[in-house]
Amino acid sequence: MSSPEADPRLTFALALLAGMFAQAISRHLRLPGIVLLLLAGVALGPDGLGGVQPRRLDAGLFAIVDFAGAILLFEGGLNLEISRLRRSGVVIRRLITWGALVTLVGGALAAWLWLEWGPMASILFGSLVVVTGPTVIGPLVSELRLKTKVATVLEAEGVLIDPVGAILAVVILGLALAADPGSLLISQGGAGLARIASGSVLGIAAGFVLARALRISRVLPDGLENVFVLSSVLLLYAGSEALLSHSGVLAVTVAGVVVGNTRSPVERDLREFKDQLTVMLIGLLFVLLAADVRFEQVRALGWAGLGVVATLILVVR
């Protein structure tokens, strides 16, 4: 019989419940939920009470993070109304193009100057910090009283930059691991475009199929719409990844935008279900990821690591 500390089921259940408690307390105290989620993860992690041991999940940890991220991106896409996006289209396009480039270069320079990493390692770091992600931006926007236009821009950037950053990081990682990066640049660039094309096509097709199924009452019995959408999103993500790696994030994002802009009789119920699911998944993710960060790893970065963080927050972003 395995010890409680080694039981992955205990890790999952504790992280899930701790995430819900942390978000409930944050709402009572009117504090950003992310702060308490990170504190809960550290307190329950290996350097704290030891109840949450993410490494015990093995490959399951990556599957949980991937599927949760796919659902959150789909939910973020649901909230992106085309009419609102058009009014802020120029700003959003700049954020996910020029903004991504500025973050890439700024992050690379920060790692190179502060941590004295090599050029390729620094560029790879810059590509990884391009992503802001709906898991961070979404909760903050929902808690702050922002103007509609500002909230739209932030939500759109948080959702749309995720697939851009993921594909960019994969391309740069391939270049960093290549013996001859110059000869691989063209092929990696082509692979990146293929991922964008594949994710876009699959997302549009799946989105229209889902929207059509939700609009025809005799296709799905009452009460099964939400779980049908959830299982379809997971299959879309997994199928896209199986067809072409790292295309799934874009596929589920595009599908969410298509479904969100196609009116259906169950639209309100679907959004409420996704909102509740988002709260649960964000709590689970942040507790697991915070618990997976060890104090010795943070201490090893020292003041140089704090310098990189300050540069990203105060200068680059």
Side-chain angles (χ1 to χ4, degrees):
M1 183 174 179
S2 61
S3 63
E5 293 81 4
D7 194 339
R9 295 169 296 185
L10 180 61
T11 286
F12 183 86
L14 273 176
L16 191 61
L17 186 59
M20 297 306 300
F21 264 118
Q23 292 183 90
I25 294 172
S26 68
R27 291 190 181 184
H28 284 302
L29 299 178
R30 295 184 179 180
L31 293 173
I34 294 173
V35 175
L36 293 185
L37 287 171
L38 294 178
L39 291 176
V42 172
L44 293 173
D47 291 325
L49 298 177
V52 176
Q53 301 277 348
R55 294 297 173 181
R56 299 292 184 185
L57 298 174
D58 296 324
L61 175 62
F62 300 102
I64 291 172
V65 172
D66 284 347
F67 278 146
I71 295 170
L72 292 172
L73 284 171
F74 178 81
E75 194 271 340
L78 280 177
N79 297 326
L80 297 182
E81 297 180 12
I82 298 297
S83 58
R84 290 165 56 193
L85 292 179
R86 285 174 179 167
R87 290 195 291 268
S88 305
V90 175
V91 177
I92 295 170
R93 283 196 299 271
R94 288 174 178 171
L95 279 174
I96 63 176
T97 53
W98 291 109
L101 179 60
V102 168
T103 306
L104 169 64
V105 175
L109 288 174
W112 180 62
L113 293 173
W114 284 100
L115 299 174
E116 298 181 350
W117 288 356
M120 286 307 302
S122 297
I123 294 173
L124 179 59
F125 173 81
S127 69
L128 292 174
V129 297
V130 162
V131 174
T132 53
T135 55
V136 177
I137 300 301
L140 290 176
V141 171
S142 64
E143 292 173 9
L144 299 174
R145 295 179 179 178
L146 301 175
K147 294 181 179 180
T148 303
K149 185 175 182 179
V150 177
T152 299
V153 169
L154 291 176
E155 289 175 347
E157 192 258 359
V159 172
L160 299 177
I161 200 67
D162 221 341
V164 173
I167 294 172
L168 181 63
V170 170
V171 171
I172 293 179
L173 178 62
L175 295 176
L177 297 177
D180 184 8
S183 62
L184 194 65
L185 181 59
I186 296 178
S187 62
Q188 285 292 325
L193 292 176
R195 290 183 175 96
I196 293 174
S198 175
S200 300
V201 171
L202 288 174
I204 292 172
F208 277 114
V209 170
L210 277 174
R212 183 63 177 170
L214 291 174
R215 294 179 68 181
I216 302 177
S217 58
R218 61 178 177 272
V219 173
L220 295 173
D222 290 339
L224 295 183
E225 299 93 350
N226 292 334
V227 290
F228 172 77
V229 172
L230 175 62
S231 57
S232 299
V233 170
L234 295 180
L235 178 60
L236 172 62
Y237 175 78
S240 299
E241 290 292 305
L243 180 64
L244 191 59
S245 65
H246 299 91
S247 64
V249 288
L250 182 58
V252 294
T253 301
V254 172
V257 174
V258 173
V259 174
N261 287 274
T262 305
R263 303 302 177 190
S264 68
V266 297
E267 179 184 4
R268 182 176 178 181
D269 292 338
L270 179 61
R271 290 184 185 274
E272 290 179 354
F273 174 71
K274 292 300 180 185
D275 288 342
Q276 294 176 351
L277 193 62
T278 296
V279 171
M280 183 187 75
L281 292 176
I282 286 177
L284 175 66
L285 280 179
F286 273 100
V287 171
L288 286 176
L289 295 177
D292 200 37
V293 177
R294 306 302 299 272
F295 286 154
E296 62 265 21
Q297 296 172 333
V298 177
R299 283 196 297 266
L301 294 174
W303 290 105
L306 291 177
V308 172
V309 173
T311 302
L312 290 173
I313 294 175
L314 302 176
V315 179
V316 177
R317 287 302 300 176

